[in-house]
Amino acid sequence: MIEYIANKTELEKSFGVDPASGLSDEKVKENAAKYGVNALTRTKPVSLLRRVWDSATEPMLLLLVMAALIALGVNLFNYATGGHFDFLEVLGIFAAISISVTITVAMEGKSAKAFEALNKINEDIVVKALRNGNAVMLNQRDIVCGDILLLSTGDKIPADGRLLESNELSADESALTGESVPAKKDSDCAITDEKTPLAERHNMLYSGTFITGGFGKLLVTAVGGKTEFGKIAHELSGVEKTTTPLQERLGRMGKFITTIGIIAAAVVFIAQLVSFALHSEFIFQNIIDAFVTSIVLIVATVPEGLPTIVAVSLSLNIIKLSKQNALVKKIIASETVGCINVICSDKTGTLTENKMTVNGEITDEKVLRNICVNSTAEIGEGGLFVGNPTECALLTAAKKSGWNYHERRQSAGIVHVFPFSSEKKNMTTITRAEKGFTAYSKGSPEKIFQLCDMDKTKRTEIENQITQWQKKACRIIAFAHRDFAEAPAFEESAVANGFVFDGFAAISDPLRADVYDAVSQCRLAGVDIKILTGDNIVTAAAIASELGVLDNEHIAVEAREIEPLSDAELSDKLEKIRVIARSTPTIKMRVVNLLKAKGNVVAVTGDGINDAPALKNADVGIAMGISGTEVSKEASDIVLLDDSFSTIVNAVRWGRGIYENFKRFISFQLTVNVSAVVVVLTSILVGFKAPFTALELLWINIIMDGPPALTLGLEPIHGDLMKRPPVKRSENILSRALLTRIGLTGLYISVVFLFQYSFNFLKVSADQMGTVLFTMFALFQLFNAFNCRELQGDSIVKNFFKNRLMLAVTGCTFVIQILIIQYAGAFFGTIPLPLDLWLKLFAVAFSVVVVSEIVKLVARCVTRKRKEVC
């Protein structure tokens, strides 16, 4: 049933209500049973156990769990066959899992409360209604379909309904439709088009909005989940959980690492079997030992510290973002925001201030007096608008010009007021003057022109000025006055001519001061902006043009134009579409889903209830913290504490920095893994014994997974991050360039290590060999950490002192390495080394930095020459 099209009499009959007396008690019960009660059906909140499970089943953590179970099985087998149970290794992996899950769950806090916030919107609303022929006060929970509500200025509407009567009625529907100007309502409005946008249904009122002027009688046609707000709540609860770009990349990386680990383990296992067969050692115990060694290699390839470092790094960066006025509610969003390449932004309250404002300064005294005395609006504490927003904007402008409207009204000597009506489109107030009386009138330019005797040339000039402002989607209010020697008759016909035109004011919902620069920076960073607003297309297109969002290659459309299109047709057109006016929650969510399906990483910004489904469904939902509704804030991943669009740019910059840091410590960790697997694998294949003891491997793992790696995840932002294109959703963390770098560095470390193992170029004694190999390997990894700080072609010297925490931690690790060798030999099975040998080891290990710097220098020279040639 389409209430805004149906005949009022037919609606009254269908609900069994007499418009003069309202519902009977019996009919109230019947309608409640038939159409439902005025409350939303609550969804079951996500339990703590479920949140822990969701966190523990992330791709990288699943890989880690598999490694932990394998390590546990191997150690149990060793223990059962009389071997050693390395409980530290097993405990360490399970500890990494626990820490990662705990941090993720703790930082995300409570589950989203968007539905609950939506349900609270109409709590404790009390309205006047007709029941059994009497006017009664009803709580919103007691309202049913068919109830007759008596509404007036200031009332909040508790349910959807069709107007039966109205008198100069207007409603603020901005939270629902995005329309910044109060919607004019008319009970006699006839609508025939079933596709009429919600913002243009002038004979309807909707739950959660409120009356800004006039009064009316409303027939309730929908309650609870069937209201427009209820439909939004349903869409909120129905949003499917999707993976973020980082989760997808970690999943792909996990599969890659697993595949490499299995291949390496298989090669080692087969090689050992061949060796046993050649040396007549093909016995069960040797086969079991070979199998265990192979499984341990799989565990060794897993960077078990990665999930923990991801969680810790994201958590610490959440603190940084909070200092940038961005409150992150969903931990992984602090990185995802750096990957966005499309921002779908609401207009009202997000790009604009959602507060009607007069453009420029008003100086004409007649206009200022008109504004002050010819008005019924008020400005409350803190600049709160009370009454018609247009009149409030004018009063605010008068205040800026030094006029106190309270004093002017009290001293004006008002004798009569002809109130504004939509039919005559003006308001006139007659006041006492020093020599008689003065009538002040304000209204639409067309109406005021009719009242004035104007020179045609002057009128044409003023009309041209007005047209320029109207092209900017401004609302124009014109002013005029007329002096009377004696009191005129209090009839409008007596004051319908002879006025003097005083001027006009252009009123608009202005763009936020920081939006111009922020949108420009987004374009520079390769981030596309699309405006999805409930406002009309003229206003939306004007704002988009002012921001440079619209050009010859991009267009603005209304939602009704794209609604009939199939997903495939709409997807093809989305690249050209930059503005969608009269957007509904369903349209916004559909656009977001189609953009994501095309491989885009999508952020949605908004402040209204109508934005909530799209906010929740986006890769990153960004809500306004000051002007935003509780529903939009609960549905979002990030809340802007200062409502500044430029904060989004800062969040993108920090998010890109976080992703760069992930690549830094992944580069470090996998270089350790590659070199460790290569030296162990090669040693076994050539017949040497394993170069490291279990305890030495544990210390290497601490270097790989502990503080040195973590400090790489906290590298300050540097470089031209905001001048690079966004990272594509399909891009792997382990790009070809990063894999090449990891492989070549790991190969270099392995070759030098094995050269020492095979040829002893440092000329150490047999007793010293094991200690030297262990120390060399550890020092190689620590020096390589400095290489990993620079992912591009820059020298490590350029930003060397920017991450002082990394310098301190790595320096401490160097010291601990020396102390272990010199004083913990009994525990690690090592022997102290002389000073000259330490110097040689530092020189050899430092070569990994020297080689890297030479390679980057050559690459920079080649690039520079190519640019010169071009």
Side-chain angles (χ1 to χ4, degrees):
M1 179 171 61
I2 304 176
E3 296 86 353
Y4 54 91
I5 292 180
N7 181 276
K8 285 189 284 189
T9 305
E10 292 176 357
L11 277 177
E12 292 162 4
K13 287 181 179 178
S14 66
F15 289 112
V17 61
D18 182 346
S21 60
L23 292 174
S24 64
D25 290 339
E26 183 180 340
K27 199 65 180 174
V28 168
K29 294 179 182 178
E30 183 181 326
N31 284 4
K34 184 176 181 181
Y35 300 106
V37 295
N38 198 24
L40 303 180
T41 305
R42 293 184 180 272
T43 54
K44 188 177 179 181
V46 179
S47 66
L48 176 62
L49 188 63
R50 178 68 187 184
R51 286 160 49 212
V52 170
W53 172 260
D54 288 343
S55 177
T57 52
E58 295 290 344
M60 277 304 298
L61 274 177
L62 284 177
L63 183 62
L64 196 56
V65 169
M66 182 186 75
L69 294 175
I70 292 173
L72 179 62
V74 168
N75 280 283
L76 285 174
F77 177 82
N78 281 341
Y79 183 74
T81 55
H84 172 67
F85 187 99
D86 188 358
F87 73 93
L88 286 176
E89 179 188 23
V90 177
L91 184 63
I93 300 177
F94 277 107
I97 296 170
S98 302
I99 292 171
S100 180
V101 171
T102 301
I103 291 174
T104 302
V105 172
M107 289 304 297
E108 289 189 7
K110 296 181 180 179
S111 58
K113 296 179 182 177
F115 189 92
E116 285 76 4
L118 195 61
N119 217 3
K120 290 178 182 177
I121 285 177
N122 294 333
E123 283 185 2
D124 302 323
I125 294 177
V126 177
V127 292
K128 186 183 289 186
L130 288 176
R131 287 270 181 95
N132 300 307
N134 300 313
V136 297
M137 299 304 294
L138 291 180
N139 188 287
Q140 65 92 18
R141 292 186 298 272
D142 300 323
I143 292 169
V144 299
C145 285
D147 263 322
I148 303 293
L149 307 184
L150 307 176
L151 302 170
S152 58
T153 302
D155 283 344
K156 198 164 189 178
I157 303 162
D160 292 1
R162 170 72 178 271
L163 282 167
L164 301 180
E165 299 175 12
S166 64
N167 191 321
E168 300 303 322
L169 191 65
S170 60
D172 184 342
E173 297 179 340
S174 59
L176 184 63
T177 66
E179 179 71 72
S180 54
V181 178
K184 299 293 183 183
K185 298 295 179 178
D186 184 1
S187 60
D188 295 325
C189 174
I191 297 174
T192 57
D193 186 0
E194 293 184 8
K195 296 180 180 178
T196 302
L198 188 140
E200 296 177 12
R201 300 175 191 174
H202 301 302
N203 56 9
M204 295 287 292
L205 290 175
Y206 295 99
S207 172
T209 63
F210 61 91
I211 306 298
T212 58
F215 53 89
K217 182 185 284 189
L218 184 75
L219 169 63
V220 175
T221 57
V223 294
K226 295 182 180 178
T227 63
E228 292 299 323
F229 274 15
K231 293 172 184 176
I232 292 174
H234 178 72
E235 290 172 354
L236 279 174
S237 61
V239 172
E240 295 182 5
K241 182 184 176 183
T242 56
T243 56
T244 67
L246 179 60
Q247 289 169 326
E248 292 168 9
R249 293 186 191 113
L250 288 175
R252 289 194 293 269
M253 189 179 77
K255 291 176 183 177
F256 176 79
I257 292 173
T258 303
T259 303
I260 296 298
I262 291 173
I263 292 172
V267 170
V268 169
F269 183 63
I270 293 169
Q272 289 184 94
L273 291 182
V274 172
S275 177
F276 296 152
L278 293 175
H279 296 87
S280 303
E281 297 175 349
F282 203 84
I283 59 176
F284 180 75
Q285 185 58 47
N286 285 346
I287 294 171
I288 292 297
D289 290 341
F291 179 74
V292 170
T293 302
S294 303
I295 295 300
V296 169
L297 261 183
I298 296 178
V299 177
T301 60
V302 178
E304 57 261 30
L306 180 57
T308 302
I309 291 175
V310 168
V312 171
S313 179
L314 289 174
S315 301
L316 293 176
N317 277 287
I318 283 175
I319 298 172
K320 291 181 181 179
L321 283 171
S322 68
K323 294 177 181 178
Q324 301 286 325
N325 291 312
L327 176 64
V328 179
K329 294 175 58 193
K330 186 176 180 182
I331 186 170
I332 206 165
S334 64
E335 185 277 333
T336 307
V337 71
C339 304
I340 60 175
N341 67 314
V342 180
I343 296 177
C344 295
S345 178
D346 182 35
K347 180 190 76 67
T348 307
T350 304
L351 298 175
T352 67
E353 296 178 359
N354 195 19
K355 195 170 187 178
M356 302 304 291
T357 304
V358 174
N359 292 277
E361 185 181 0
I362 299 175
T363 55
D364 187 276
E365 287 198 11
K366 289 291 185 183
V367 173
L368 287 168
R369 186 176 296 277
N370 193 330
I371 289 171
C372 292
V373 303
N374 189 24
S375 172
T376 58
E378 299 279 350
I379 303 295
E381 292 185 12
L384 179 68
F385 284 12
V386 180
N388 185 283
T390 301
E391 288 195 349
C392 290
L394 292 169
L395 291 176
T396 301
K399 183 180 180 181
K400 290 179 180 177
S401 297
W403 284 56
N404 187 314
Y405 75 90
H406 281 293
E407 295 176 358
R408 300 287 177 172
R409 282 184 192 173
Q410 290 173 2
S411 61
I414 296 173
V415 294
H416 193 75
V417 176
F418 298 105
F420 178 87
S421 74
S422 55
E423 288 78 19
K424 58 190 184 70
K425 296 183 178 179
N426 76 313
M427 175 182 180
T428 303
T429 298
I430 301 173
T431 67
R432 296 185 184 278
E434 290 183 9
K435 298 179 180 180
F437 298 83
T438 301
Y440 295 96
S441 188
K442 74 172 189 292
S444 70
E446 297 81 7
K447 177 65 177 182
I448 300 302
F449 285 149
Q450 291 175 12
L451 302 180
C452 299
D453 297 326
M454 295 182 67
D455 177 79
K456 184 176 290 186
T457 303
K458 183 181 179 182
R459 176 168 175 171
T460 301
E461 180 184 343
I462 294 171
E463 285 177 336
N464 289 336
Q465 293 175 10
I466 288 173
T467 300
Q468 295 304 311
W469 283 108
Q470 287 176 331
K471 286 180 179 178
K472 297 179 181 179
C474 290
R475 187 177 188 184
I476 307 299
I477 302 296
F479 304 91
H481 79 280
R482 178 183 174 186
D483 294 323
F484 295 88
E486 299 179 353
F490 295 150
E491 296 177 2
E492 291 206 54
S493 58
V495 289
N497 53 53
F499 277 72
V500 176
F501 186 84
D502 295 322
F504 67 89
I507 303 173
S508 63
D509 182 11
L511 285 165
R512 295 182 181 275
D514 62 334
V515 164
Y516 297 96
D517 186 50
V519 170
S520 176
Q521 288 186 57
C522 283
R523 283 201 292 268
L524 184 65
V527 180
D528 191 19
I529 305 287
K530 294 185 184 296
I531 299 175
L532 276 58
T533 176
D535 222 329
N536 63 74
I537 193 166
V538 175
T539 303
I543 292 292
S545 298
E546 193 174 347
L547 287 173
V549 173
L550 286 182
D551 52 37
N552 294 333
E553 296 178 0
H554 298 93
I555 60 173
V557 298
E558 276 198 347
R560 71 172 84 192
E561 298 175 42
I562 62 175
E563 228 166 359
L565 300 178
S566 67
D567 284 351
E569 291 171 328
L570 179 55
S571 183
D572 291 339
K573 292 179 179 292
L574 276 180
E575 191 171 339
K576 288 186 66 177
I577 296 173
R578 282 272 179 86
V579 177
I580 302 178
R582 295 302 189 205
S583 290
T584 63
T586 303
I587 283 289
K588 289 184 179 183
M589 200 158 65
R590 185 183 175 198
V591 168
V592 168
N593 287 333
L594 288 176
L595 287 170
K596 287 170 66 177
K598 294 182 75 173
N600 296 290
V601 181
V602 184
V604 170
T605 68
D607 68 331
I609 295 163
N610 59 325
D611 301 313
L615 284 168
K616 191 172 182 182
N617 206 55
D619 290 304
V620 183
I622 305 172
M624 302 294 120
I626 299 173
S627 63
T629 60
E630 286 304 310
V631 179
S632 65
K633 285 185 273 190
E634 292 295 350
S636 66
D637 302 309
I638 298 175
V639 178
L640 303 183
L641 301 179
D642 57 357
D643 280 16
S644 172
F645 201 83
S646 62
T647 302
I648 298 174
V649 177
N650 287 333
V652 170
R653 182 169 172 267
W654 277 101
R656 290 188 178 186
I658 292 171
Y659 184 63
E660 290 281 293
N661 286 345
F662 285 167
K663 292 172 75 172
R664 287 185 176 99
F665 65 68
I666 286 169
S667 173
F668 174 73
Q669 286 192 316
L670 293 187
T671 302
V672 178
N673 280 6
V674 167
S675 51
V677 169
V678 169
V679 297
V680 172
L681 178 60
T682 307
S683 297
I684 292 173
L685 290 177
V686 299
F688 292 165
K689 70 173 186 176
F692 306 121
T693 66
L695 204 55
E696 288 171 344
L697 278 174
L698 178 61
W699 172 245
I700 291 169
N701 272 335
I702 290 173
I703 293 176
M704 182 181 78
D705 299 324
L710 177 57
T711 56
L712 281 173
L714 303 176
E715 184 77 13
I717 295 172
H718 49 77
D720 55 351
L721 285 178
M722 293 303 287
K723 294 181 180 178
R724 302 179 200 166
V727 177
K728 294 181 180 179
R729 192 182 200 103
S730 59
E731 180 177 305
N732 291 318
I733 296 178
L734 297 175
S735 62
R736 182 178 297 176
L738 192 60
L739 277 173
T740 302
R741 181 173 179 168
I742 291 168
L744 291 177
T745 305
L747 184 62
Y748 173 78
I749 292 171
S750 302
V751 168
V752 176
F753 179 94
L754 292 169
F755 197 76
Q756 169 60 29
Y757 200 5
S758 302
F759 302 106
N760 191 15
F761 66 86
L762 290 176
K763 306 301 181 183
V764 301
S765 66
D767 292 340
Q768 292 174 327
M769 181 61 81
T771 304
V772 167
L773 290 175
F774 168 50
T775 304
M776 180 188 290
F777 192 84
L779 295 180
F780 260 132
Q781 306 310 331
L782 290 172
F783 276 118
N784 186 54
F786 292 98
N787 289 334
C788 295
R789 289 181 59 187
E790 293 295 342
L791 293 172
Q792 308 302 319
D794 293 330
S795 168
I796 64 170
V797 177
K798 184 178 180 181
N799 300 294
F800 189 79
F801 292 104
K802 285 190 174 181
N803 190 349
R804 294 182 180 179
L805 180 62
M806 186 267 180
L807 297 179
V809 169
T810 307
C812 288
T813 310
F814 273 120
V815 172
I816 295 172
Q817 178 68 33
I818 295 171
L819 293 175
I820 284 174
I821 300 302
Q822 299 300 107
Y823 303 105
F827 190 66
F828 276 87
T830 58
I831 61 172
L833 300 176
L835 179 60
D836 64 326
L837 189 51
W838 271 110
L839 294 175
K840 290 178 183 178
L841 285 170
F842 268 90
V844 170
F846 185 70
S847 67
V848 76
V849 175
V850 175
V851 170
S852 175
E853 287 296 291
I854 292 171
V855 170
K856 287 190 286 186
L857 178 61
V858 171
R860 289 197 299 270
C861 292
V862 170
T863 302
R864 193 180 300 116
K865 285 184 178 179
R866 285 178 179 174
K867 288 182 178 179
E868 290 173 358
V869 171
C870 294

